[in-house]
Amino acid sequence: MLPKKESEAFQITVLASLITLVISMLILVVVILFNHEITELLDNPSITPWLYFIPISVLLSGLYQVLNYWHNRHKRYPNIARNRIIQSGVTSLSQLGFGGYAHSAGLIVGPLIGQTVALVGFIKVFITRDFSRHKVKRLEVRALAKRYSQFPLIGLPTVLTNTAANQAPIVLLGVIFSASSVGFYYLTQRVLQAPVTLISGSVLDVFKQRASEDYKRNGHCKEIFKKTFFLLLLMATLPSLILYLFIEDLFVFVFGEVWREAGVYAKLLMPAVFLKFIANPLSFITYI
């Protein structure tokens, strides 16, 4: 998003794709060499075959993010939005299809199929519109890797902290309480995450592109930052208040009485979701 020159942005796209490929291969090696030790440590031998899906998922999601940034740079918002909807739809249909005979398989394979379809869509546009106009330059890729080396140093601790914060409740609920508590929390998280992913994510796509351009042109991006903040605040406040009052009954209405506890979880998590909805797009300012 940040380079002024198109050629530099292309080389960074190549660099990020190579990094994703290398990390995926390293994870695959770890899974092959230490599969038994990992399952013993987790005291769950049934996950042995599923560990091999981790490097595949890392590769797919990593390449998807790289190309999402590239298309965002070129203001291809309809393509990005359509791709996101297709990914969500294919994931849900795949989970339903696999759920008929292997519920756990659907939860794992479904998102992978959705990621694959979405990535293929991005690659197709990238090859037909962009790839032939550029050449990979190894020396330039190395120079840019050195120039942008601060990005992982700044970003990695933040990403690890966010990931740990998101996953810790699932682990802790399973250890301290029961599997049913994990199920309630997981459903709550999926339902509440949907608007954050779709709406806040779409705002993020526009904000990344506009803020990057403003910074390159003016040396700051105060106006778009303030405008986006107030837009997100306006979009989130009233729906959050209404949901906070009625979300428990809404869960019962949609999923049935047995899921009332998930509605209680949702009510407790609403303030965090409200803040996440606003903070997610604006956090990109750190990178700029």
Side-chain angles (χ1 to χ4, degrees):
M1 300 295 293
L2 298 178
K4 293 179 181 179
K5 294 181 181 179
E6 183 78 356
S7 60
E8 284 191 1
F10 178 79
Q11 304 307 326
I12 291 172
T13 302
V14 172
L15 172 64
S17 300
L18 287 172
I19 291 170
T20 302
L21 181 62
V22 169
I23 290 173
S24 303
M25 293 300 293
L26 288 173
I27 294 171
L28 178 61
V29 170
V30 170
V31 170
I32 291 171
L33 294 178
F34 302 106
N35 192 309
H36 179 69
E37 287 78 4
I38 293 169
T39 55
E40 269 199 348
L41 181 67
L42 298 172
D43 193 26
N44 193 351
S46 64
I47 65 169
T48 296
W50 302 112
L51 290 178
Y52 291 97
F53 285 86
I54 296 173
I56 298 171
S57 180
V58 169
L59 180 64
L60 293 173
S61 60
L63 293 176
Y64 178 88
Q65 288 183 57
V66 172
L67 290 177
N68 185 70
Y69 273 97
W70 174 265
H71 293 311
N72 198 345
R73 177 185 173 90
H74 294 84
K75 303 179 184 178
R76 294 168 184 163
Y77 304 128
N79 279 342
I80 294 170
R82 184 167 56 250
N83 207 285
R84 192 170 284 148
I85 292 167
I86 290 170
Q87 180 178 3
S88 180
V90 171
T91 298
S92 299
L93 288 172
S94 301
Q95 287 179 328
L96 286 171
F98 277 95
Y101 68 90
H103 182 62
S104 59
L107 289 174
I108 296 170
V109 178
L112 287 178
I113 295 173
Q115 283 179 331
T116 303
V117 172
L119 179 59
V120 168
F122 270 167
I123 290 174
K124 185 180 177 182
V125 175
F126 178 69
I127 290 174
T128 53
R129 294 193 188 182
D130 307 306
F131 192 75
S132 60
R133 296 189 292 110
H134 300 281
K135 289 184 178 179
V136 178
K137 301 173 183 176
R138 286 189 293 176
L139 290 177
E140 192 172 351
V141 170
R142 286 182 185 178
L144 289 167
K146 187 175 180 181
R147 179 178 168 188
Y148 287 94
S149 60
Q150 283 189 313
F151 274 70
L153 296 176
I154 294 170
L156 191 60
T158 307
V159 172
L160 287 175
T161 304
N162 282 337
T163 303
N166 286 329
Q167 300 303 321
I170 295 174
V171 177
L172 292 173
L173 285 170
V175 172
I176 300 170
F177 297 102
S178 63
S180 61
S181 297
V182 177
F184 289 133
Y185 179 81
Y186 181 73
L187 177 67
T188 304
Q189 195 180 44
R190 288 293 300 273
V191 171
L192 295 182
Q193 191 67 24
V196 175
T197 302
L198 289 173
I199 303 171
S200 183
S202 298
V203 173
L204 170 60
D205 290 335
V206 180
F207 176 73
K208 282 189 291 193
Q209 196 277 331
R210 283 284 308 277
S212 299
E213 275 196 353
D214 285 359
Y215 189 83
K216 283 183 283 189
R217 185 171 54 248
N218 307 319
H220 67 82
C221 48
K222 295 177 185 176
E223 294 305 316
I224 188 65
F225 184 91
K226 288 189 286 185
K227 184 178 179 181
T228 305
F229 170 75
F230 286 115
L231 173 67
L232 290 165
L233 187 66
L234 188 66
M235 291 170 68
T237 302
L238 186 59
S240 296
L241 287 172
I242 294 171
L243 281 173
Y244 186 79
L245 294 172
F246 301 108
I247 197 164
E248 190 176 335
D249 295 326
L250 192 62
F251 262 72
V252 173
F253 177 75
V254 175
F255 301 109
E257 184 63 38
V258 292
W259 291 99
R260 178 177 290 277
E261 190 173 335
V264 176
Y265 286 26
K267 189 171 185 177
L268 293 169
L269 288 169
M270 274 308 302
V273 174
F274 171 78
L275 294 172
K276 189 173 184 178
F277 184 88
I278 297 170
N280 265 14
L282 298 176
S283 63
F284 186 75
I285 194 73
T286 309
Y287 294 104
I288 295 175

